[in-house]
Every structure is written in C-alpha cells, then in structure tokens.
Amino acid sequence: MIINPGNLNESFDMPNVERYKNIKEYCDRQGVTLVAVSKTKSAKAVEALYKEGQLDFGENKVQELSNKASGLPPGIRWHMIGHLQRNKVKYIASFVHLIHSVDSLRLLKEIEKRAKAAGRIQDCLFEIHIAKEPGKFGLSASGLREILESEEFANMEHVRICGLMGMASLTPDSEEIRKEFRGLRKLFEEIREEYFKGDAHFKELSMGMTTDYRLAIEEGSTMVRIGSAIFGPRA
Ligand SMILES: *Cc1c(COP(=O)(O)O)cnc(C)c1O
C-alpha cells in the first residue's frame, strides 16, 4: 500500500496545522492563551504541534496526562482541565503547570499537601458551575466564597489561585452561552476585588472551547481550551 505523506495530517489523530495556526494567531492578537486540548490524541500528535511552537496542552485524565508528559519534552506546559480525584493528585503534583478544575476544599488541601512535598507552588483555578445542565462538577459562587473564607485556605502556602474556569451549556443558543460567560466574568471581577486585590497572579479566566471560544473571548476570557478544532477531522 502506498501512503501519501501529504495526507497524514488528515488522519484523526494528527493536528490540522493550518487550522491551528489560524486559531493561534487569533488568540495571540487578542492576548489570549491557547491551551491545545490533546485528550485522546497520541503523544506523536502533541509532538507535531509542539514543533509548530505550541507549549500549552490540556488533558482531562491523570493517567493519560502523566503518560504523555513522561515521553515528551519538559518544556511543555501541561494543564489539567478535567475533574481531578484527590487520590490522583500525587501523580501530577511534581510537574503540572495549571490545574483548572479545583472544585472543593478537600481537593485543594490535597493539592497543597502534594505541592509541598514536591517543593512547588501549584497554580490553580477554581472551576465554577455556570451551565444550565445540572453537571456534577464545579462550585457555586457561595461554595467558592466559603473556601476563600476558610481558615484552612488562609493557611495554605503551596497553592496559588490564578483565577476561575467554567464551561457553558451545551446549547446552540449563543445568547444563553454569552450570558453564562458574562456571569462568570462578573464573578471573577468580584472575587478579585474581594479576595485578591493587588495580587497579580489572580488574572486568568479560562473559558471557551471549539464551539464557543470567540464568544468567550468577547466576554473576557484570557485562556481558551480547544481540542476538536485543532485535532479533529471536521472544520
Ligand atoms: C475536551 C475539553 C475541552 C475541549 O473541547 P473541544 O470542544 O474539543 O474544543 C475543553 N475543556 C474541557 C474541560 C474539556 O474536557
């Protein structure tokens, strides 16, 4: 069988470099960080994009993240974007760049403990539930405030809170999505004012995926997490 190398990029696994470059350019122009979501894609696919200059990659499973990280250049910044179980924090605590999905005080306490053991300060975002669907993950605004006001949080020295993350409803209704992103932005600003005044690290608003990243950027996102537009076969 003859394989035309020109068609390799069309496979399900490899990134679509042209589409990637367009998205990257758009994000750069807006001053937004692009996290390329490489879940279910091979280490080879990540490497191909890394060679194009992409440094930030997102994964939603601990096992997959640590497997890929172990075989790839240490310059890659790995983002944990999926639900994180406490008993798995230890597998990524020595190297993960940013955890987007902190949704409980118990999880944050475990991250504090593991970061301390690894001699690191771990950057984290709180995941906020903004979608209409009753999802399992993400904090409410009051749940977030409860954590921020706890004595346990006040005593943590190895976690650094860099902002908030949220996922909009799965709906074609762009006004609904916009409303949800706008609400998260508002909460972000309130929380910054109330709890992180003068803290330059609290600056990230991780919102926007393949279908809604332009909307998210219009509503103030500083970090988008894009998978299928970069790696997927469809336009
Ligand atoms: C998969 C995933 C993404 C990327 O989704 P796409 O629609 O493929 O861009 C973003 N954020 C989280 C938390 C994800 O699990």
Side-chain angles (χ1 to χ4, degrees):
M1 191 170 93
I2 297 167
I3 296 170
N4 173 2
N7 283 340
L8 285 179
N9 278 353
E10 299 301 313
S11 79
F12 279 76
D13 194 60
M14 295 307 272
N16 182 318
V17 171
E18 199 184 310
R19 229 186 278 149
Y20 162 70
K21 283 183 173 167
N22 283 333
I23 295 169
K24 176 72 172 137
E25 215 179 274
Y26 182 76
C27 290
D28 284 352
R29 246 185 292 132
Q30 308 280 339
V32 167
T33 302
L34 169 60
V35 177
V37 177
S38 49
K39 65 187 184 199
T40 76
K41 307 301 166 189
S42 69
K44 264 184 101 146
V46 172
E47 199 170 17
L49 210 56
Y50 173 74
K51 284 184 177 153
E52 298 294 332
Q54 178 64 25
L55 293 179
D56 293 279
F57 289 89
E59 291 283 339
N60 68 341
K61 294 204 170 84
V62 164
Q63 180 84 54
E64 194 177 338
L65 195 165
S66 54
N67 281 350
K68 279 179 203 168
S70 69
L72 286 163
I76 290 180
R77 297 190 286 253
W78 293 100
H79 296 245
M80 178 58 195
I81 63 173
H83 181 64
L84 180 55
Q85 284 171 286
R86 276 180 304 141
N87 61 359
K88 294 191 174 159
V89 173
K90 56 179 177 285
Y91 300 116
I92 56 173
S94 66
F95 69 92
V96 70
H97 178 68
L98 178 63
I99 299 173
H100 292 229
S101 46
V102 177
D103 62 357
S104 73
L105 180 58
R106 289 170 82 209
L107 173 60
L108 197 59
K109 279 165 71 177
E110 178 67 15
I111 296 170
E112 161 72 18
K113 176 177 147 191
R114 298 294 175 178
K116 184 178 182 183
R120 298 179 68 226
I121 306 282
Q122 181 62 58
D123 284 350
C124 297
L125 307 178
F126 283 112
E127 179 174 354
I128 308 299
H129 185 87
I130 58 171
K132 273 191 306 188
E133 302 102 52
K136 277 176 287 183
F137 308 123
L139 290 157
S140 63
S142 60
L144 171 61
R145 286 196 166 86
E146 215 170 282
I147 294 175
L148 294 173
E149 283 166 19
S150 71
E151 200 178 317
E152 284 156 304
F153 176 71
N155 290 329
M156 291 184 188
E157 293 178 339
H158 301 85
V159 294
R160 183 159 55 206
I161 306 304
C162 299
L164 305 182
M165 181 271 238
M167 276 190 281
S169 295
L170 275 172
T171 168
D173 179 355
S174 60
E175 279 317 302
E176 172 62 29
I177 294 171
R178 187 184 289 282
K179 200 175 82 192
E180 291 168 4
F181 284 151
R182 194 167 288 178
L184 183 58
R185 159 93 180 263
K186 185 163 172 277
L187 178 65
F188 170 77
E189 284 172 355
E190 286 169 7
I191 293 293
R192 187 174 54 188
E193 180 67 21
E194 292 168 42
Y195 300 95
F196 296 95
K197 215 172 170 140
D199 180 347
H201 296 290
F202 191 87
K203 63 178 168 49
E204 304 293 359
L205 191 47
S206 170
M207 57 185 199
M209 313 176 14
T210 290
T211 55
D212 56 21
Y213 73 90
R214 285 187 177 82
L215 256 170
I217 291 172
E218 282 173 26
E219 296 301 332
S221 171
T222 66
M223 194 173 262
V224 292
R225 311 174 309 272
I226 300 183
S228 39
I230 293 174
F231 291 100
R234 63 177 180 78

